[in-house]
Amino acid sequence: MPPPVPSPVPATPRAPVSRRRDDIEGLRAVAAVLIAVYHIWFGTVSGGVDVFLLLTGFLVTGSMVRTLERDGRIGIGAFWSRTVRRLFPAGAVVLGAVLAGAFAFLPRSSWTAVIADVQAAALYHANWHLALGSVDYMARDSASSPVQHFWSLGVQGQFYLLWPLLLTLAALAAAGAGRRVRAAAAVAVAAVFALSFGYSLWITSAEPAWAYFDTGARLWEPALGGLLALLLPYLRLPRALRPAAGWAGLAALVACGAVIGDSLPYPGYASLWPVLAAVLVLVAGAEGEPGQWSANRLLGLRPLVRLGRHSFPLFLWHWPVLVFYLEVTDRVEPSLTGGLLVLGVSFAAALATSWLLEGGIDRVLRDRRTPSWSLAAGVLFAVPVLVGSLAWGAGIEQQRETRARLSQDPTAYPGAAVHLSPELAANLPALPVYPDTTTVKRDTIAQTSECNVTIPSTELISCEFGDVDSEYTLVLTGSSHARHWFQALRPIAEHHGWRLVTMTKNACQFSAEEQVFGGEVYDECTAWNAQVAAEIELMVPDAVFGLGTLTQQGDGSLEHVPDGFVEHWRWLDGLGVDVVAVRDTPRFAFDVADCVDRGGRCSQDRGYTMAAASPLEEAAGELPGNVRTVDLTGYLCGEQECPGVIGNQLAYYDDNHFSYSFSSSLSVLLEPLLLEALPDAPVADTTLADRASSVIGGGEAAGEPGADGI
């Protein structure tokens, strides 16, 4: 512990008196209810979390500075132990229930993500875990994590680590300079507020998905609460204005979610609304007893105060209860009755959690309030959650390895190669799909993540595969729908001795047109495309492989050949570079891995995304002479439907991207089309298709893409 801080001057001319404020508990209750209501029925921000962060800074800073003024030091270890004791047990109870609920209600494909989310939440870095996921386009989940709301506890936990150190340093500086502790603390807290708020404005504008979870972009909220706690004794509203200020603040807070919703980037300027609304309420109730008709008197009523004491477990429970309800009922949003049921179950669970912890654990530890016992009590709740999640994850990994061994038999898991043998297609054994749905997304993304550019980046990343010294170079470039052909191309390049260069970026087509992402101009894509073009011009490869059409969910007639593609192809023609334009792949109205886990049929109408005839064929006479087109739709779809499982392999890990294993299996079907499109490319003595046909023992190959054998 740091030594006591000497106080060369009185702390204040008149030390502020701390009095119990029931309206703060009522404000907590309102914030918790707003969070639940807006999440359940509207799916938007409410401002309630911002109020919690403000109140955290307000209460912690006031308490710590009073302790410094009185004792000259903060018991940092004791403070951290008490914090662990207060936060960990309730959080661990909910996280344990989430693990059980995920096993019971969620599809297997979501299990590994839930386990990772729970572990991050239990260790109070869920905000950074979610921030990293928010900028990974390929890793985005189709459904929300049942512990997504734990991000705010991560911010709070990091605040609790930082704040006693900051205030202790401020007190030491005050002692050395002969200043009052409160004044030095106010300067330090104000500096944090200014830096964090400025950073929040910048990062929210530049990277809103990241900013939402960023501690640096949120730290100004508890800092403002702390600054308010230090200055509140000197902020005196005229008595006549206090009721108006309180009601204005409360009304603004209640209306926040309805007015802001998702219309403004968050946090940024928009988060000032709920924070300043809460500031008005706190300032209005600072002087003596609140008036009879004031908002602070309303907030101090016994029902709201009692609800406020259960606000933390209510906040913890409402989100997983909502996620599991939507999963069980197969709804996108709850009805009025369903929402009331979610709210009722959440409140009952919150009361039970409070009863268990306060009536049970607190009774046991009544005479053991030492920091060691507090720390042990909190940690002992978290340990079973972490151990349980690790054990579950190990079991999943073992299952994955088992399926990987089984998949080595090409007659059991041929994937797209099933088209090489009509006999095998007719007699394919019924087996669990491969790759395992619990890890397919992670494993697929991991295979190319180091060679791919994410949404916010403009950096050019290129990787080389095959024979890097080969005189023949094929470039794969474009978006994730070009990227998911990598596993199909790599075996071909390696077998025939080509050099394969990849340059891909999420949601960014290799196109001369300005592109849009998230409703805004995708400037990062434009900058990246310029770098790719410069690299190709410098490299002058033999051929470029990329998308030839774009499909859209909901209407196959929208599939088209973009003008920006054709413009780039003409430019490549001028360089003497051949182009292999592959038709885009099907999209589904559902997550294929989830559908498989639920035992569904998992096929999508072909016309949902695919045009009746390939737009590349219809545009053949207008394309530059260097363009060769490739269409594997007949291997991916039947006459009427596109299946999500082909040859016992999970064809798509989400609703539109190939799994790594299925993409690899496509190589034997892509190879002859690619060799025909690239007559100048060197060719090995044998082909991959010849080898595959001999291994699966299947007589005549399927020949032209068709509807049979899928």
Side-chain angles (χ1 to χ4, degrees):
M1 295 299 172
V5 179
S7 299
V9 295
T12 58
R14 178 181 177 85
V17 178
S18 176
R19 66 176 178 85
R20 180 184 179 87
R21 289 190 57 177
D22 287 340
D23 60 328
I24 290 180
E25 289 292 353
L27 188 57
R28 287 183 197 271
V30 171
V33 170
L34 286 175
I35 292 171
V37 166
Y38 276 97
H39 277 166
I40 292 170
W41 282 292
F42 304 104
T44 63
V45 298
S46 65
V49 169
D50 305 274
V51 174
F52 279 143
L53 292 174
L54 177 85
L55 290 177
T56 295
F58 179 81
L59 296 171
V60 169
T61 306
S63 174
M64 284 186 176
V65 170
R66 287 191 296 271
T67 299
L68 283 169
E69 291 173 334
R70 183 183 66 246
D71 303 332
R73 66 186 299 171
I74 299 172
I76 296 178
F79 169 77
W80 284 340
S81 298
R82 290 193 302 271
T83 300
V84 168
R85 166 67 187 85
R86 189 173 69 253
L87 296 181
F88 275 42
V93 168
V94 175
L95 292 176
V98 165
L99 289 176
F103 181 81
F105 304 124
L106 299 185
R108 294 179 77 257
S109 56
S110 67
W111 285 358
T112 53
V114 170
I115 290 171
D117 292 346
V118 165
Q119 291 170 348
L123 296 174
Y124 282 74
H125 65 89
N127 60 315
W128 296 116
H129 175 72
L130 290 168
L132 290 171
S134 72
V135 298
D136 190 339
Y137 171 80
M138 296 284 283
R140 288 178 177 176
D141 291 323
S142 58
S144 297
S145 165
V147 295
Q148 183 170 303
H149 60 316
F150 269 73
W151 72 265
S152 62
L153 270 70
V155 173
Q156 282 185 304
Q158 292 147 37
F159 167 81
Y160 287 133
L161 282 176
L162 168 67
W163 221 239
L165 301 176
L166 175 73
L167 294 180
T168 296
L169 290 175
L172 289 171
R179 301 292 183 181
R180 294 188 178 93
V181 171
R182 184 168 292 262
V187 171
V189 173
V192 172
F193 166 77
L195 289 172
S196 174
F197 186 66
Y199 171 73
S200 179
L201 297 181
W202 172 74
I203 195 67
T204 301
S205 174
E207 301 293 343
W210 175 276
Y212 193 86
F213 304 108
D214 189 343
T215 299
R218 295 283 188 169
L219 196 57
W220 68 269
E221 295 177 309
L224 180 59
L227 197 59
L228 179 63
L230 298 176
L231 300 179
L232 194 59
Y234 313 104
L235 298 176
R236 302 179 183 276
L237 282 179
R239 182 178 296 273
L241 292 181
R242 291 175 204 161
W247 283 115
L250 184 58
L253 177 59
V254 172
C256 174
V259 174
I260 294 179
D262 293 329
S263 61
L264 297 174
Y266 216 83
Y269 287 112
S271 56
L272 281 171
W273 182 310
V275 169
L276 294 181
V279 167
L280 276 178
V281 173
L282 292 174
V283 172
E287 291 292 327
E289 291 297 321
Q292 183 176 0
W293 304 107
S294 67
N296 299 83
R297 173 61 65 88
L298 172 66
L299 293 172
L301 293 177
R302 183 172 298 178
L304 278 177
V305 172
R306 286 183 174 176
L307 179 57
R309 290 169 184 164
H310 301 294
S311 60
F312 180 50
L314 176 60
F315 168 75
L316 294 179
W317 277 109
H318 85 281
W319 185 254
V321 171
L322 174 62
V323 169
F324 293 141
Y325 165 83
L326 294 176
E327 181 67 29
V328 170
T329 59
D330 196 25
R331 296 179 65 97
V332 176
E333 58 186 25
S335 61
L336 175 60
T337 304
L340 291 173
L341 176 63
V342 169
L343 201 56
V345 171
S346 303
F347 187 63
L351 290 177
T353 303
S354 296
W355 174 84
L356 170 67
L357 299 178
E358 297 174 7
I361 305 304
D362 283 356
R363 187 181 298 114
V364 173
L365 298 178
R366 182 175 299 165
D367 299 324
R368 298 177 176 87
R369 295 288 187 177
T370 63
S372 298
W373 275 101
S374 294
L375 181 63
V379 170
L380 285 176
F381 270 84
V383 166
V385 172
L386 291 172
V387 171
S389 65
L390 289 171
W392 191 11
I396 290 173
E397 186 64 20
Q398 186 176 18
Q399 291 180 355
R400 187 189 72 82
E401 292 174 358
T402 299
R403 292 199 189 189
R405 286 195 300 271
L406 293 174
S407 72
Q408 299 304 307
D409 181 359
T411 62
Y413 289 96
V418 72
H419 289 285
L420 296 177
S421 172
E423 181 180 352
L424 176 61
N427 298 283
L428 192 67
L431 294 169
V433 300
Y434 177 81
D436 193 323
T437 57
T438 57
T439 58
V440 61
K441 179 178 292 188
R442 179 197 71 188
D443 294 343
T444 301
I445 294 170
Q447 288 203 4
T448 54
S449 60
E450 293 184 358
C451 297
N452 183 67
V453 181
T454 57
I455 296 290
S457 177
T458 59
E459 176 188 10
L460 176 64
I461 300 176
S462 65
C463 293
E464 298 185 5
F465 303 89
D467 183 357
V468 297
D469 297 321
S470 174
E471 295 183 357
Y472 192 86
T473 298
L474 174 66
V475 170
L476 168 66
T477 188
S479 67
S480 59
H481 271 226
R483 175 184 174 185
H484 72 182
W485 286 98
F486 165 73
Q487 288 89 353
L489 286 171
R490 183 175 183 176
I492 299 172
E494 291 176 343
H495 182 71
H496 295 287
W498 305 346
R499 174 188 176 214
L500 174 63
V501 179
T502 64
M503 292 182 283
T504 61
K505 177 176 170 61
N506 292 339
C508 181
Q509 314 300 336
F510 182 57
S511 172
E513 293 177 305
E514 185 178 72
Q515 297 174 54
V516 174
F517 179 76
E520 298 181 357
V521 175
Y522 194 1
D523 292 327
E524 296 87 351
C525 180
T526 302
W528 178 82
N529 260 308
Q531 293 183 74
V532 172
E535 183 66 16
I536 288 176
E537 192 166 18
L538 181 65
M539 184 191 310
V540 190
D542 296 278
V544 170
F545 183 101
L547 289 185
T549 70
L550 281 183
T551 56
Q552 297 182 39
Q553 287 176 311
D555 187 355
S557 66
L558 298 176
E559 184 186 7
H560 66 290
V561 180
D563 293 339
F565 285 14
V566 178
E567 186 175 339
H568 261 162
W569 297 342
R570 290 199 178 99
W571 169 74
L572 289 170
D573 193 19
L575 294 177
V577 176
D578 292 332
V579 172
V580 178
V582 64
R583 187 179 181 186
D584 202 358
T585 47
R587 301 171 189 263
F588 292 71
F590 51 85
D591 187 290
V592 176
D594 287 356
C595 176
V596 169
D597 285 337
R598 295 187 179 98
R601 191 158 174 270
C602 306
S603 291
Q604 182 66 63
D605 291 342
R606 180 168 174 159
Y608 181 70
T609 54
M610 310 302 294
S614 172
L616 286 169
E617 291 184 4
E618 295 181 345
E622 303 173 6
L623 299 181
N626 64 327
V627 177
R628 301 293 181 270
T629 63
V630 169
D631 184 1
L632 278 81
T633 306
Y635 296 124
L636 303 174
C637 302
E639 292 292 338
Q640 302 296 327
E641 293 183 327
C642 303
V645 176
I646 300 175
N648 280 342
Q649 288 199 19
L650 186 69
Y652 307 85
Y653 75 76
D654 56 3
D655 62 356
N656 68 108
H657 296 102
F658 290 150
S659 73
Y660 68 92
S661 179
F662 181 74
S663 177
S664 181
S665 76
L666 279 166
S667 61
V668 296
L669 303 177
L670 175 62
E671 180 191 45
L673 302 177
L674 196 59
L675 295 180
E676 182 181 355
L678 301 173
D680 296 331
V683 180
D685 293 336
T686 60
T687 66
L688 296 174
D690 292 337
R691 291 184 177 182
S693 294
S694 64
V695 170
I696 63 178
E700 295 297 326
E704 291 297 322
D708 298 328
I710 294 179

